[in-house]
Amino acid sequence: SQQGEEDPQALSIQEGENATMNCSYKTSINNLQWYRQNSGRGLVHLILIRSNEREKHSGRLRVTLDTSKKSSSLLITASRAADTASYFCATDSLSGNTPLVFGKGTRLSVIA
Amino acid sequence: GAGVSQSPRYKVAKRGQDVALRCDPISGHVSLFWYQQALGQGPEFLTYFQNEAQLDKSGLPSDRFFAERPEGSVSTLKIQRTQQEDSAVYLCASSLDFGGAGTDTQYFGPGTRLTVL
């Protein structure tokens, strides 16, 4: 079963616009990570945010985490056609060494 | 440097055949993970290794699935008597160490797309 749920399932925007994707999860976590997957390729790690952090930036990416609501958001600013991909959130759990649990992903299309 | 590699990239099997999927992790990475990704879904955990020890195989869907990493580097995921529901992309990931839940970045290979006819 999958812990996270991304929202929306699909998003289509124009190049230059900002894209916001949301992730909700069910159990308490240590960390939340976002990954990108281009069609037919493996996953690329984007950013990790720890449970005691509320916001983190990396280049055009901004991630927020609200542990009280068990949710996270990924904002991509000034989107480019090359940002077209599926984006997944992945969580661990507080119960010890556990592997990542992924959501179903948001499919982002950036139209040039 | 070289990333995680997987072979074959594509595999077509007839129902009932056995298949073996290979993963070459990044050199020196202690932890290795296998995930199954169905079409339109996120990856789902199958099993993981620390060096040669298989520490968790709770995600393996049936006893037809078997994974090994005998020398603590290359890993093989074997599926016996394949069924149509086994059709998926099988992703391998490695991390430098499994030092705590999710604290180490996992580097993913390109995956093996398995189609069972």
Side-chain angles (χ1 to χ4, degrees):
Chain A
S1 62
Q2 297 187 296
Q3 145 104 293
E5 287 285 338
E6 285 90 344
D7 168 54
Q9 289 187 359
L11 178 62
S12 183
I13 59 172
Q14 296 290 324
E15 202 167 32
E17 294 180 338
N18 295 342
T20 299
M21 289 159 273
N22 303 296
C23 167
S24 59
Y25 55 91
K26 298 174 185 174
T27 61
S28 296
I29 62 170
N30 280 320
N31 309 290
L32 184 144
Q33 303 184 50
W34 284 91
Y35 283 80
R36 183 187 74 224
Q37 186 177 37
N38 290 83
S39 180
R41 308 291 292 273
L43 284 86
V44 174
H45 182 262
L46 295 177
I47 197 166
L48 179 152
I49 186 166
R50 302 190 187 283
S51 59
N52 62 355
E53 296 177 313
R54 291 297 167 257
E55 187 171 313
K56 203 162 183 179
H57 297 253
S58 176
R60 293 185 296 112
L61 306 180
R62 172 177 167 255
V63 169
T64 62
L65 179 65
D66 186 336
T67 53
S68 66
K69 295 181 180 178
K70 292 187 170 59
S71 66
S72 174
S73 68
L74 170 66
L75 168 67
I76 304 174
T77 60
S79 63
R80 306 166 181 168
D83 294 329
T84 294
S86 292
Y87 291 82
F88 296 91
C89 67
T91 57
D92 57 18
S93 82
L94 283 178
S95 62
N97 286 349
T98 59
L100 295 175
V101 180
F102 287 83
K104 294 183 178 181
T106 292
R107 184 179 299 276
L108 173 66
S109 298
V110 181
I111 303 166
Chain B
V4 178
S5 61
Q6 293 185 245
S7 61
R9 289 293 312 277
Y10 303 91
K11 177 69 178 177
V12 178
K14 292 183 179 179
R15 189 171 55 183
Q17 282 185 332
D18 297 348
V19 298
L21 313 179
R22 177 187 169 107
C23 172
D24 285 79
I26 294 173
S27 178
H29 276 197
V30 170
S31 297
L32 184 145
F33 305 81
W34 283 99
Y35 294 86
Q36 180 190 60
Q37 186 176 24
L39 188 64
Q41 302 292 313
E44 293 206 8
F45 168 75
L46 294 176
T47 185
Y48 91 87
F49 294 83
Q50 257 189 319
N51 297 306
E52 69 279 4
Q54 189 175 20
L55 298 188
D56 188 343
K57 53 182 181 179
S58 62
L60 296 176
S62 77
D63 58 8
R64 297 186 295 104
F65 287 70
F66 173 76
E68 60 183 5
R69 194 187 185 198
E71 297 178 357
S73 55
V74 171
S75 177
T76 303
L77 176 67
K78 298 179 179 178
I79 308 173
Q80 297 176 323
R81 304 181 303 281
T82 52
Q83 303 295 316
Q84 285 186 322
E85 60 263 28
D86 299 334
S87 295
V89 175
Y90 290 85
L91 295 166
C92 175
S94 70
S95 66
L96 186 60
D97 195 6
F98 199 59
T103 54
D104 288 304
T105 297
Q106 293 183 26
Y107 297 88
F108 281 79
T112 294
R113 182 178 296 277
L114 173 65
T115 302
V116 181
L117 303 176

